[in-house]
Structures are given as C-alpha cells and as structure tokens.
C-alpha cells in the first residue's frame, strides 16, 4: 500500500480534486512551479518538473507518484508542450526509477484520441444509445499538439514499465468539472469526470496491482464513448457519478 505520495501539479484543478478527497489518507509531498495560495497537506516543493535535480530530491522516500504537472491547454503550442508535458514527464519517470518508486499514475487526456471523433461519428457518438466505444487498446489519434504530448507521455510510461518494471497507469481524463457536468455541451457530458470520481480513480491507480495500463477517466455517464470497463476490472474503479443525473446545475437523480 502506498504511504508517501508525490503529487506534481498539485496547485491545479485535478490536484485540488485529488486532495479534496484524499488529503488525510497519505503522506503527501506536493510539487508545483507555482507556490500554494491556500493551506495544503504535507510538504510543498516549489519546483519546475524540468529541473532534474529538484525532481530527484522531491522523489526521495516516495512510494507512488501522481503526475499531473503540465500545460493542460488543448491549444498549447509545441514550444510549451515539449518542455512541460514531454520532457518534464521523462524527468519524472527517470527520477521515479532512480528513487525506487513502485507506481506512477500519469494524467493523460481525451485529446490523445481526439481524432476518433470524426465527422461521420459525431455528434451521434456523444449520445446515450450510440454503441461506439474506445477502450484504451486503440492507437492514439491525437486531436492537437497537446494530445500528441499526452500520447507521448503514455509511450514514455510504456518504455519505463517495460525497461524497469515500473507500474504505470495512464488515465485519459475526460472533462473534469466541479459540482455538476458541463451545461449545454453533449461531448463534455459524455466524458464528464466528477471531482470525487477523479480522486477515487487516482487512489485506485496508486493502490491496485498492475503493470502498464491505459484507462479512461470519466464518471459512469449514460452518454459515453469511452469504456470504463478496464478501470473497473484492473483498478477496482467504482464511480459514483453520472452526468445523466443532472439537469444543468441541478441534481435530478439520487446521490450514490
Ligand atoms: N482538467 C481536465 O479536465 C483535464 C486535465 N488533464 C491533465 O491533467 C493535468 C492537470 O490538469 P489541470 O489540473 O486541469 O491543469 P491546471 O493548469 O489547473 O494545473 C496544472 C498544474 O501544473 C503546474 N505546472 C505546469 N507546468 C509545470 C512545470 N513545468 N513544472 C511544475 N509545475 C507545472 C501548474 O502550475 C498547475 O498548478 C494536466 O497534465 C492536464 O493535461 C487531462 C485531461 C482533462
Ligand atoms: O485535456 C483536457 O481536456 C479537458 C476537456 O476537453 P474539452 O475539449 O472538452 O475542453 C479540458 O477542459 C482540459 O483543459 C484539458 O487539459
């Protein structure tokens, strides 16, 4: 069982979702290039993930890493995704190997597979009765350079798993939105990930026993074009939310 966890990108939205539910469950070392603006659990390291020495130091005594730091913008230019998302991720994996870390959970993205959303398939694939599913076994088809950087992060994970036996889970996160699903956005509702399901999924990534996995990070939405079967089977993911239980910002279904 993981005890000491390094959370990169801790000051961001996904970091806040994870810490919002799991703050008391682990010994946290948080890392971000931006200093904290509010009180956070554990120790906070202000560093850039491209700084090899700083990341190496931050990795000391760590059991598991949740690697979120990076440029999350779908329109991010190559000049940003190359250092922040690709090289920074390589630095994190290298330091994890050197420190004897067991597991790295990597925040990948729906944009790694964005070009499966072809004109022929959309918007039907965003709807409840459509049966099209991606399940993580398909090749990446990035929708933008940001998606290329996320697919590359997955590939780096594959390498560090095969070469060094590091356990790596790549979570293709859908659309993380706080409180309620995106409104008037079918695609976003199909790939909604609630804050509590996000925290639970990353917890499963650092607790479960596996080798290398690519899973989709969405809630159990009625509308979906990403399968969550693999996350359930291998990681023990048990999502509690479903965008169909919401009408705008009002919950109309029962809370699980
Ligand atoms: N929010 C979402 O719906 C989704 C997020 N993701 C991925 O999840 C991760 C976190 O995303 P968000 O929390 O939404 O973004 P965010 O921008 O809120 O948080 C990212 C954090 O990483 C830090 N960071 C960025 N580059 C860094 C570097 N070189 N060194 C150290 N810290 C750095 C930033 O200061 C920020 O606090 C990203 O990798 C993103 O690509 C993927 C799919 C969907
Ligand atoms: O990877 C990401 O995806 C989410 C959802 O994508 P969108 O196309 O529905 O906006 C995005 O909000 C997030 O910023 C990004 O990191």
């Amino acid at each position: 069982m993981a005890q000491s966890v390094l959370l990169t990108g801790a000051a961001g939205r996904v970091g806040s979702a994870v810490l919002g539910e799991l703050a008391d469950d682990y010994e946290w070392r948080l890392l971000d290039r931006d200093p904290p603006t509010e009180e956070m659990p554990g120790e906070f390291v202000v560093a850039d993930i491209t700084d090899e020495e700083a990341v190496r130091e931050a990795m000391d005594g760590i059991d598991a890493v949740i690697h979120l730091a990076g440029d999350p913008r779908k329109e991010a230019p190559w000049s940003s995704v190359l250092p922040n998302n690709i090289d920074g991720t390589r630095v994190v994996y290298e330091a994890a190997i050197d420190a004897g870390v067991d597991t790295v959970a990597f925040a990948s993205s729906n944009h790694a597979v964005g070009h499966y959303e072809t004109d022929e398939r959309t918007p039907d694939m965003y709807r409840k009765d459509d049966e099209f599913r991606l399940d993580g076994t398909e090749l990446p088809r990035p929708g933008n350079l940001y998606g290329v950087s996320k697919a590359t992060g997955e590939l780096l994970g594959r390498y560090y798993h095969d070469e060094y036996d590091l356990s790596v889970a790549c979570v293709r996160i859908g659309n993380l939105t706080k409180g309620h699903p995106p409104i008037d956005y079918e695609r976003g509702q199909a790939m909604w990930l609630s804050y509590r399901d996000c925290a639970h999924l990353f917890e499963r990534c650092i607790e479960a026993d596996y080798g290398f996995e690519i899973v989709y990070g969405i809630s159990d939405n009625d509308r979906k074009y990403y399968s969550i079967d693999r996350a359930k089977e291998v990681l023990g993911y048990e999502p509690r939310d479903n965008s169909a239980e919401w009408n705008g910002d009002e919950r109309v279904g029962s809370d699980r």
Side-chain angles (χ1 to χ4, degrees), residues 9-200:
R13 291 166 295 176
V14 181
S16 140
V18 169
L19 293 173
E21 298 284 330
L22 306 178
D24 298 334
D25 297 353
Y26 296 96
E27 289 163 22
W28 291 101
R29 188 171 298 149
L30 312 178
L31 183 148
D32 204 293
R33 66 184 175 193
D34 289 343
T37 54
E38 56 189 43
E39 200 176 323
M40 297 180 99
E43 180 190 350
F44 200 102
V45 178
V46 178
D48 196 294
I49 51 164
T50 59
D51 180 341
E52 297 189 15
E53 201 178 317
V55 175
R56 198 175 296 274
E57 273 178 33
M59 207 64 78
D60 188 42
I62 291 295
D63 301 315
V65 178
I66 299 177
H67 174 42
L68 310 175
D71 188 334
R73 296 170 300 158
K74 53 194 174 191
E75 69 284 3
W78 192 245
S79 57
S80 175
V81 297
L82 183 59
N84 292 309
N85 296 9
I86 297 179
D87 198 41
T89 297
R90 178 195 62 83
V91 169
V92 168
Y93 282 128
E94 284 282 346
I97 294 296
D98 289 350
V101 165
D102 299 320
T103 306
V104 173
F106 168 62
S108 185
S109 168
N110 63 91
H111 289 282
V113 288
H115 268 310
Y116 283 98
E117 298 173 44
T118 58
D119 290 346
E120 292 72 34
R121 290 186 180 126
T122 58
D124 291 357
M125 67 187 284
Y126 306 142
R127 296 183 178 155
K128 188 180 164 205
D129 296 325
D130 196 87
E131 290 183 356
F132 180 81
R133 294 282 183 281
L134 298 173
D135 65 7
T137 60
E138 61 282 329
L139 286 173
R141 284 180 67 177
N144 40 46
L145 291 175
Y146 162 69
V148 171
S149 76
K150 289 291 160 181
T152 307
E154 295 177 358
L155 199 58
L156 284 165
R158 179 82 244 183
Y159 165 70
Y160 285 101
H161 166 68
D162 286 339
E163 186 70 16
Y164 299 103
D165 210 22
L166 180 71
S167 294
V168 176
C170 303
V171 181
R172 288 180 178 162
I173 303 173
N175 186 310
L176 179 82
T177 306
K178 195 170 189 177
H180 55 79
I183 296 173
D184 294 333
Y185 180 26
E186 283 187 301
R187 177 174 179 269
Q189 289 163 6
M191 60 171 180
W192 181 48
L193 178 63
S194 71
Y195 266 47
R196 64 183 178 179
D197 285 344
C198 177
H200 165 62

